[in-house]
mmCIF file of all heavy atoms in Angstrom:
data_model
loop_
_atom_site.group_PDB
_atom_site.id
_atom_site.type_symbol
_atom_site.label_atom_id
_atom_site.label_comp_id
_atom_site.label_asym_id
_atom_site.label_seq_id
_atom_site.Cartn_x
_atom_site.Cartn_y
_atom_site.Cartn_z
ATOM 1 N N ARG G 526 86.354 113.766 67.897
ATOM 2 C CA ARG G 526 86.251 114.523 69.144
ATOM 3 C C ARG G 526 87.527 114.350 69.946
ATOM 4 O O ARG G 526 88.185 113.317 69.870
ATOM 5 C CB ARG G 526 85.063 114.033 69.969
ATOM 6 C CG ARG G 526 83.739 114.236 69.244
ATOM 7 C CD ARG G 526 82.592 113.651 69.993
ATOM 8 N NE ARG G 526 82.408 114.338 71.266
ATOM 9 C CZ ARG G 526 81.601 113.933 72.214
ATOM 10 N NH1 ARG G 526 80.897 112.830 72.054
ATOM 11 N NH2 ARG G 526 81.492 114.603 73.337
ATOM 12 N N HIS G 532 89.839 107.850 82.119
ATOM 13 C CA HIS G 532 89.294 107.314 83.367
ATOM 14 C C HIS G 532 89.769 105.883 83.534
ATOM 15 O O HIS G 532 89.596 105.066 82.624
ATOM 16 C CB HIS G 532 87.763 107.353 83.347
ATOM 17 C CG HIS G 532 87.212 108.736 83.334
ATOM 18 N ND1 HIS G 532 86.752 109.352 84.468
ATOM 19 C CD2 HIS G 532 87.056 109.630 82.328
ATOM 20 C CE1 HIS G 532 86.333 110.569 84.157
ATOM 21 N NE2 HIS G 532 86.517 110.756 82.863
ATOM 22 N N GLY G 558 89.549 105.840 89.681
ATOM 23 C CA GLY G 558 88.510 105.473 90.624
ATOM 24 C C GLY G 558 87.144 105.722 90.013
ATOM 25 O O GLY G 558 87.020 106.373 88.984
ATOM 26 N N PRO G 559 86.145 105.164 90.610
ATOM 27 C CA PRO G 559 86.167 104.374 91.832
ATOM 28 C C PRO G 559 86.702 102.964 91.595
ATOM 29 O O PRO G 559 86.580 102.414 90.508
ATOM 30 C CB PRO G 559 84.707 104.341 92.270
ATOM 31 C CG PRO G 559 83.919 104.559 91.030
ATOM 32 C CD PRO G 559 84.776 105.394 90.122
ATOM 33 N N ILE G 565 79.251 99.709 92.293
ATOM 34 C CA ILE G 565 78.592 101.003 92.514
ATOM 35 C C ILE G 565 77.568 101.273 91.419
ATOM 36 O O ILE G 565 76.439 101.709 91.689
ATOM 37 C CB ILE G 565 79.621 102.136 92.607
ATOM 38 C CG1 ILE G 565 80.444 101.974 93.884
ATOM 39 C CG2 ILE G 565 78.954 103.505 92.549
ATOM 40 C CD1 ILE G 565 81.682 102.846 93.935
ATOM 41 N N GLY G 566 77.942 101.001 90.174
ATOM 42 C CA GLY G 566 76.998 101.186 89.067
ATOM 43 C C GLY G 566 75.772 100.317 89.216
ATOM 44 O O GLY G 566 74.632 100.775 89.025
ATOM 45 N N LEU G 569 73.577 101.725 92.007
ATOM 46 C CA LEU G 569 72.860 102.935 91.601
ATOM 47 C C LEU G 569 71.681 102.625 90.681
ATOM 48 O O LEU G 569 70.613 103.236 90.811
ATOM 49 C CB LEU G 569 73.813 103.921 90.932
ATOM 50 C CG LEU G 569 74.766 104.644 91.870
ATOM 51 C CD1 LEU G 569 75.762 105.486 91.087
ATOM 52 C CD2 LEU G 569 73.992 105.504 92.857
ATOM 53 N N VAL G 570 71.863 101.690 89.768
ATOM 54 C CA VAL G 570 70.764 101.313 88.875
ATOM 55 C C VAL G 570 69.621 100.716 89.683
ATOM 56 O O VAL G 570 68.442 101.047 89.474
ATOM 57 C CB VAL G 570 71.260 100.338 87.788
ATOM 58 C CG1 VAL G 570 70.094 99.713 87.037
ATOM 59 C CG2 VAL G 570 72.182 101.064 86.811
ATOM 60 N N ARG G 573 67.945 103.465 91.752
ATOM 61 C CA ARG G 573 67.105 104.313 90.894
ATOM 62 C C ARG G 573 65.806 103.594 90.559
ATOM 63 O O ARG G 573 64.718 104.190 90.606
ATOM 64 C CB ARG G 573 67.861 104.685 89.624
ATOM 65 C CG ARG G 573 67.098 105.636 88.751
ATOM 66 C CD ARG G 573 67.965 106.096 87.598
ATOM 67 N NE ARG G 573 67.206 106.975 86.740
ATOM 68 C CZ ARG G 573 67.313 106.988 85.424
ATOM 69 N NH1 ARG G 573 68.172 106.207 84.823
ATOM 70 N NH2 ARG G 573 66.586 107.814 84.715
ATOM 71 N N VAL G 578 66.952 106.766 94.676
ATOM 72 C CA VAL G 578 67.654 107.913 94.086
ATOM 73 C C VAL G 578 66.985 108.234 92.760
ATOM 74 O O VAL G 578 66.399 107.357 92.117
ATOM 75 C CB VAL G 578 69.173 107.664 93.867
ATOM 76 C CG1 VAL G 578 69.889 107.433 95.173
ATOM 77 C CG2 VAL G 578 69.423 106.534 92.907
ATOM 78 N N GLY G 579 67.071 109.474 92.371
ATOM 79 C CA GLY G 579 66.462 109.887 91.121
ATOM 80 C C GLY G 579 67.471 110.559 90.225
ATOM 81 O O GLY G 579 68.645 110.669 90.560
ATOM 82 N N GLY G 580 66.999 111.016 89.118
ATOM 83 C CA GLY G 580 67.846 111.761 88.209
ATOM 84 C C GLY G 580 68.285 110.940 87.012
ATOM 85 O O GLY G 580 68.088 109.739 86.935
ATOM 86 N N ASP G 581 68.903 111.660 86.089
ATOM 87 C CA ASP G 581 69.382 111.026 84.872
ATOM 88 C C ASP G 581 70.813 110.528 85.067
ATOM 89 O O ASP G 581 71.348 110.552 86.180
ATOM 90 C CB ASP G 581 69.299 112.004 83.699
ATOM 91 C CG ASP G 581 70.107 113.276 83.940
ATOM 92 O OD1 ASP G 581 70.815 113.369 84.975
ATOM 93 O OD2 ASP G 581 70.060 114.178 83.089
ATOM 94 N N LEU G 582 71.434 110.083 84.002
ATOM 95 C CA LEU G 582 72.790 109.559 84.071
ATOM 96 C C LEU G 582 73.766 110.597 84.619
ATOM 97 O O LEU G 582 74.623 110.279 85.445
ATOM 98 C CB LEU G 582 73.240 109.076 82.686
ATOM 99 C CG LEU G 582 74.645 108.512 82.579
ATOM 100 C CD1 LEU G 582 74.821 107.307 83.493
ATOM 101 C CD2 LEU G 582 74.939 108.135 81.131
ATOM 102 N N ALA G 583 73.626 111.823 84.194
ATOM 103 C CA ALA G 583 74.519 112.886 84.685
ATOM 104 C C ALA G 583 74.391 113.053 86.196
ATOM 105 O O ALA G 583 75.384 113.243 86.897
ATOM 106 C CB ALA G 583 74.222 114.205 83.971
ATOM 107 N N ALA G 584 73.179 112.956 86.713
ATOM 108 C CA ALA G 584 72.975 113.084 88.157
ATOM 109 C C ALA G 584 73.609 111.915 88.906
ATOM 110 O O ALA G 584 74.214 112.101 89.973
ATOM 111 C CB ALA G 584 71.481 113.158 88.470
ATOM 112 N N LEU G 585 73.484 110.730 88.353
ATOM 113 C CA LEU G 585 74.100 109.569 88.993
ATOM 114 C C LEU G 585 75.621 109.693 88.983
ATOM 115 O O LEU G 585 76.285 109.346 89.960
ATOM 116 C CB LEU G 585 73.648 108.282 88.315
ATOM 117 C CG LEU G 585 72.151 107.953 88.440
ATOM 118 C CD1 LEU G 585 71.821 106.678 87.670
ATOM 119 C CD2 LEU G 585 71.729 107.840 89.883
ATOM 120 N N ARG G 586 76.178 110.192 87.892
ATOM 121 C CA ARG G 586 77.626 110.403 87.828
ATOM 122 C C ARG G 586 78.081 111.444 88.848
ATOM 123 O O ARG G 586 79.134 111.295 89.465
ATOM 124 C CB ARG G 586 78.037 110.812 86.415
ATOM 125 C CG ARG G 586 77.971 109.668 85.433
ATOM 126 C CD ARG G 586 78.371 110.078 84.049
ATOM 127 N NE ARG G 586 78.440 108.911 83.183
ATOM 128 C CZ ARG G 586 78.484 108.977 81.874
ATOM 129 N NH1 ARG G 586 78.494 110.153 81.248
ATOM 130 N NH2 ARG G 586 78.542 107.873 81.150
ATOM 131 N N ARG G 587 77.284 112.494 89.020
ATOM 132 C CA ARG G 587 77.624 113.495 90.046
ATOM 133 C C ARG G 587 77.636 112.863 91.434
ATOM 134 O O ARG G 587 78.513 113.138 92.249
ATOM 135 C CB ARG G 587 76.641 114.674 90.006
ATOM 136 C CG ARG G 587 76.968 115.721 88.976
ATOM 137 C CD ARG G 587 76.148 116.994 89.167
ATOM 138 N NE ARG G 587 74.708 116.771 89.148
ATOM 139 C CZ ARG G 587 73.971 116.672 88.040
ATOM 140 N NH1 ARG G 587 74.533 116.777 86.851
ATOM 141 N NH2 ARG G 587 72.670 116.477 88.121
ATOM 142 N N LEU G 588 76.661 112.007 91.693
ATOM 143 C CA LEU G 588 76.590 111.324 92.978
ATOM 144 C C LEU G 588 77.842 110.474 93.220
ATOM 145 O O LEU G 588 78.414 110.488 94.313
ATOM 146 C CB LEU G 588 75.331 110.460 93.048
ATOM 147 C CG LEU G 588 75.105 109.683 94.338
ATOM 148 C CD1 LEU G 588 75.020 110.625 95.541
ATOM 149 C CD2 LEU G 588 73.839 108.841 94.224
ATOM 150 N N VAL G 589 78.300 109.790 92.201
ATOM 151 C CA VAL G 589 79.527 108.990 92.328
ATOM 152 C C VAL G 589 80.708 109.897 92.637
ATOM 153 O O VAL G 589 81.508 109.625 93.534
ATOM 154 C CB VAL G 589 79.784 108.151 91.055
ATOM 155 C CG1 VAL G 589 81.178 107.518 91.093
ATOM 156 C CG2 VAL G 589 78.719 107.075 90.890
ATOM 157 N N ARG G 590 80.824 111.007 91.903
ATOM 158 C CA ARG G 590 81.941 111.936 92.141
ATOM 159 C C ARG G 590 81.898 112.508 93.558
ATOM 160 O O ARG G 590 82.936 112.748 94.166
ATOM 161 C CB ARG G 590 81.925 113.069 91.114
ATOM 162 C CG ARG G 590 82.504 112.676 89.773
ATOM 163 C CD ARG G 590 82.766 113.891 88.892
ATOM 164 N NE ARG G 590 81.580 114.682 88.634
ATOM 165 C CZ ARG G 590 80.702 114.463 87.653
ATOM 166 N NH1 ARG G 590 80.874 113.464 86.827
ATOM 167 N NH2 ARG G 590 79.654 115.239 87.490
ATOM 168 N N GLN G 591 80.710 112.733 94.080
ATOM 169 C CA GLN G 591 80.567 113.307 95.419
ATOM 170 C C GLN G 591 80.849 112.302 96.524
ATOM 171 O O GLN G 591 81.208 112.688 97.633
ATOM 172 C CB GLN G 591 79.151 113.863 95.604
ATOM 173 C CG GLN G 591 78.858 115.069 94.748
ATOM 174 C CD GLN G 591 77.365 115.392 94.715
ATOM 175 O OE1 GLN G 591 76.540 114.677 95.275
ATOM 176 N NE2 GLN G 591 77.024 116.480 94.046
ATOM 177 N N THR G 592 80.686 111.020 96.245
ATOM 178 C CA THR G 592 80.781 110.021 97.311
ATOM 179 C C THR G 592 81.989 109.098 97.200
ATOM 180 O O THR G 592 82.264 108.355 98.144
ATOM 181 C CB THR G 592 79.511 109.151 97.345
ATOM 182 O OG1 THR G 592 79.379 108.464 96.088
ATOM 183 C CG2 THR G 592 78.286 109.999 97.621
ATOM 184 N N GLN G 593 82.691 109.125 96.087
ATOM 185 C CA GLN G 593 83.808 108.210 95.882
ATOM 186 C C GLN G 593 85.117 108.981 95.711
ATOM 187 O O GLN G 593 85.136 110.076 95.152
ATOM 188 C CB GLN G 593 83.575 107.336 94.643
ATOM 189 C CG GLN G 593 82.341 106.476 94.741
ATOM 190 C CD GLN G 593 82.394 105.543 95.919
ATOM 191 O OE1 GLN G 593 83.331 104.780 96.087
ATOM 192 N NE2 GLN G 593 81.366 105.597 96.772
ATOM 193 N N ILE G 595 88.255 109.900 93.950
ATOM 194 C CA ILE G 595 88.814 109.896 92.605
ATOM 195 C C ILE G 595 90.160 110.619 92.694
ATOM 196 O O ILE G 595 90.225 111.763 93.161
ATOM 197 C CB ILE G 595 87.899 110.631 91.595
ATOM 198 C CG1 ILE G 595 86.460 110.100 91.647
ATOM 199 C CG2 ILE G 595 88.490 110.569 90.197
ATOM 200 C CD1 ILE G 595 86.275 108.676 91.221
#
Side-chain angles (χ1 to χ4, degrees):
R526 298 175 64 190
H532 294 261
I565 292 167
L569 286 174
V570 168
R573 184 173 178 217
V578 297
D581 58 5
L582 179 60
L585 295 178
R586 287 180 173 165
R587 277 192 303 277
L588 180 59
V589 170
R590 281 193 301 274
Q591 292 167 356
T592 61
Q593 299 301 306
I595 308 295

